[in-house]
Amino acid sequence: MRYNTTPLPKSEIELAVTLYPQEFERFQKKALEEAVAEAEIDGFRKGKAAPELVKKKIGESRLFERASVLGVEDTYPRILKELAEKGPDFEPIGAPKVHLTKLNAGGGLEYKARLSILPLFQLPDYKKIAKVIFEKKEEVEISEKEIVNALDWLRNSRAKEITVARPAQRGDRLEIDFEAAVGGVMLENGRSQNHPLIVGEGRFLPGFEEALIGMKTDETKSFSLAAPDDYAETGLRGKTMDFSVTVRLVQERIIPEPTDDFASGVGKFANIEELKKSISEGIYADKEEKERLRLRVKTAGALAEKTALELPDLLIEREIAKMTAELKSGVEGMGMEWSAYLLNIKKDEDGLKKEWQGEAERRVKIALVLRQIAKIEKIEPSVEEIQEVTNHTVARLGIDGAGFKKIDRDAFLEYNTTVARNEKVFRFLETFTENNYE
């Protein structure tokens, strides 16, 4: 056997492989042996027919095809192993595209295999880039208003609701039946029953909740409102919507006062000041995490921008497929059909994929850069770190025992290992705000 490699654009190579006649004969014999073992011919038990009879029944061409498959399956992995031994940076990805260039009984087998490989590239001075960005970390500040707002949200979440017979007021919890139409035509999803809302929260069209003030249980009211120019449903912007609303339930919400008793009821807090302190610490931690994420995203983008490399189409296609699957899962998780979503945004999958091309390339580039830094700095996550990330992924996605049976275990492990490794890479890069790196 002999082979040679030819570099191609976009981090691909082409293998040209030749199996000499005496080598290819081994695979022809094996193909015939397989055919004999599986052949069912009248007058013979399965696997006992004469090879010549089997060859005559299935035909030379089919035997040649099978022999060529066996030849490729045997030689291709061996060639990849040899190439990897010659250059440890040689890392093929995905399955090759193979086509036969010569196949006959006396002339052996020749084929070409086109495959993608991870690109070789030079990293920029990633330590310096990280130092410049992470040194510009913004100091976290917390206002008294933020603490008060968080405390108010907590108080509202603990409100008691008491059914009353009086007219609805601002702050009440209502349950309503409503219908919405434009020009006499009922809107899609424009009808609901026992729909809950709190008057004054502003969750509905501007003016809708105010129109309910003063209504009593079982009272019906019709009114019209114009959708604002920035309304979420773009097709309804500026249009007049006609509503018919019946109040089914009015409840007064009794919001607890921010007392020491309230604080002790929320958790193990001796007084309201301890609760406020805990709220402040929580807001601080959340802001710190957001700032850390902002700097990491900025660093990753800067590293990718300053790194020159050709990206394999295969990796970009995989990333676009991943982005599509993530969006589809999110849409279906909200109870909307994927086809209905595409119709609503007036696009098809091909259109979305074209739009995502640039973002997919950026993501792939960042992933390769982080992977290369980990390789150079010998950064690898421990088993415990991988397990911690895995537990977080399971909790975030809500995967249960039945869900585990449906996932690709190897791919799941690879994903969580990558996340854990990238976390360590960013922690490594963040140290250069503290070190005197020049």
Side-chain angles (χ1 to χ4, degrees):
M1 176 184 71
R2 73 170 188 271
Y3 65 87
N4 58 64
T5 62
T6 303
L8 300 174
K10 295 188 176 182
S11 196
E12 291 186 334
I13 64 170
E14 184 179 73
L15 294 176
V17 185
T18 298
L19 272 70
Y20 299 114
Q22 60 270 31
E23 292 177 295
F24 186 54
E25 185 179 351
R26 175 165 63 94
F27 300 110
Q28 289 177 283
K29 288 181 179 179
K30 187 174 181 180
L32 181 57
E33 289 170 0
E34 288 181 354
V36 169
E38 294 298 322
E40 295 182 358
I41 297 178
D42 292 341
F44 296 90
R45 286 181 296 164
K46 184 177 180 180
K48 297 299 181 180
E52 290 304 319
L53 288 176
V54 174
K55 184 185 298 186
K56 184 177 181 180
K57 180 178 179 181
I58 67 175
E60 290 278 357
S61 61
R62 283 182 59 187
L63 286 173
F64 277 142
E65 288 174 7
R66 179 57 184 162
S68 67
V69 170
L70 293 171
V72 172
E73 290 177 344
D74 179 88
T75 57
Y76 179 73
R78 289 197 283 123
I79 293 171
L80 294 190
K81 184 177 179 182
E82 286 184 17
L83 291 173
E85 289 172 350
K86 293 177 182 177
D89 291 326
F90 174 81
E91 295 186 55
I93 49 177
K97 296 177 182 177
V98 178
H99 69 275
L100 304 180
T101 55
K102 182 179 179 182
L103 175 62
N104 57 59
L109 170 68
E110 293 180 8
Y111 69 88
K112 289 184 177 181
R114 186 178 182 132
L115 65 149
S116 298
I117 59 174
L118 287 179
L120 300 178
F121 58 93
Q122 292 294 320
L123 286 169
D125 189 340
Y126 49 88
K127 295 178 182 179
K128 183 176 181 180
I129 292 172
K131 184 175 188 293
V132 169
I133 293 175
F134 283 112
E135 279 184 341
K136 294 180 180 179
K137 177 180 178 292
E138 296 180 1
E139 291 301 318
V140 171
E141 295 181 356
I142 304 172
S143 67
E144 184 64 27
K145 187 174 186 302
E146 288 177 298
I147 298 173
V148 171
N149 288 342
L151 181 59
D152 286 347
W153 179 89
L154 191 58
R155 290 169 57 210
N156 272 279
S157 71
R158 299 297 180 101
K160 293 182 180 178
E161 295 167 347
I162 301 172
T163 301
V164 293
R166 60 167 174 75
Q169 299 176 359
R170 184 176 295 276
D172 285 346
R173 179 187 180 276
L174 309 184
E175 290 185 10
I176 63 172
D177 297 345
F178 73 84
E179 293 181 351
V182 172
V185 179
M186 185 71 62
L187 296 177
E188 184 179 0
N189 301 320
R191 180 185 286 112
S192 183
Q193 292 183 325
N194 299 318
H195 194 97
L197 65 84
I198 294 175
V199 180
E201 279 195 338
R203 301 290 180 89
F204 275 69
L205 186 71
F208 182 90
E209 293 169 21
E210 286 74 9
L212 306 183
I213 296 175
M215 292 183 66
K216 296 180 181 179
T217 302
D218 293 330
E219 181 180 349
T220 299
K221 182 178 182 180
S222 297
F223 53 91
S224 300
L225 296 169
D229 293 337
D230 60 351
Y231 192 56
E233 290 285 344
T234 57
L236 295 175
R237 291 177 180 176
K239 293 185 178 180
T240 298
M241 302 171 65
D242 303 314
F243 295 95
S244 176
V245 180
T246 300
V247 174
R248 294 303 182 191
L249 181 69
V250 178
Q251 292 183 315
E252 182 178 348
R253 301 177 72 248
I254 301 176
I255 301 172
E257 294 297 322
T259 62
D260 293 345
D261 287 341
F262 172 74
S264 63
V266 171
K268 295 181 179 180
F269 301 106
N271 51 53
I272 193 65
E273 293 306 318
E274 277 194 12
L275 174 56
K276 288 182 178 179
K277 181 182 178 183
S278 176
I279 290 172
S280 177
E281 290 171 349
I283 295 173
Y284 181 87
D286 182 59
K287 285 191 169 185
E288 275 280 289
E289 181 59 28
K290 287 179 179 177
E291 176 62 8
R292 182 181 298 110
L293 179 60
R294 183 185 73 83
L295 294 173
R296 287 183 174 188
V297 169
K298 188 173 181 180
T299 300
L303 291 172
E305 185 179 344
K306 295 180 182 295
T307 302
L309 74 158
E310 283 193 314
L311 298 175
D313 287 336
L314 177 61
L315 291 183
I316 298 171
E317 290 167 4
R318 286 181 179 179
E319 188 62 32
I320 290 176
K322 179 182 173 185
M323 293 166 71
T324 304
E326 288 173 351
L327 178 60
K328 186 175 182 181
S329 176
V331 167
E332 292 176 346
M334 294 187 294
M336 182 183 294
E337 291 185 3
W338 177 240
S339 57
Y341 171 78
L342 292 175
L343 187 63
N344 187 52
I345 63 173
K346 298 178 181 179
K347 292 178 182 175
D348 55 21
E349 278 198 25
D350 290 339
L352 284 176
K353 290 176 180 179
K354 287 179 182 178
E355 286 185 7
W356 291 341
Q357 181 77 17
E359 175 61 15
E361 290 176 3
R362 190 185 72 86
R363 290 191 185 189
V364 170
K365 206 172 184 182
I366 289 173
L368 291 175
V369 167
L370 295 178
R371 184 180 184 276
Q372 186 71 357
I373 293 174
K375 187 174 182 180
I376 292 172
E377 301 294 341
K378 296 180 172 56
I379 297 173
E380 281 298 329
S382 65
V383 173
E384 292 76 17
E385 288 167 331
I386 296 171
Q387 186 60 54
E388 182 180 352
V389 170
T390 302
N391 293 342
H392 178 74
T393 303
V394 169
R396 177 171 57 84
L397 299 179
I399 302 175
D400 55 15
F404 265 116
K405 296 178 181 179
K406 300 178 182 178
I407 64 176
D408 184 327
R409 299 291 183 90
D410 291 337
F412 191 65
L413 175 61
E414 182 181 355
Y415 167 79
N416 288 292
T417 300
T418 299
V419 172
R421 184 190 299 117
N422 288 347
E423 172 65 25
K424 293 191 77 168
V425 169
F426 278 119
R427 288 180 185 174
F428 167 77
L429 294 173
E430 286 166 351
T431 63
F432 296 104
T433 60
E434 304 163 5
N435 299 341
N436 293 321
Y437 175 78
E438 298 295 340

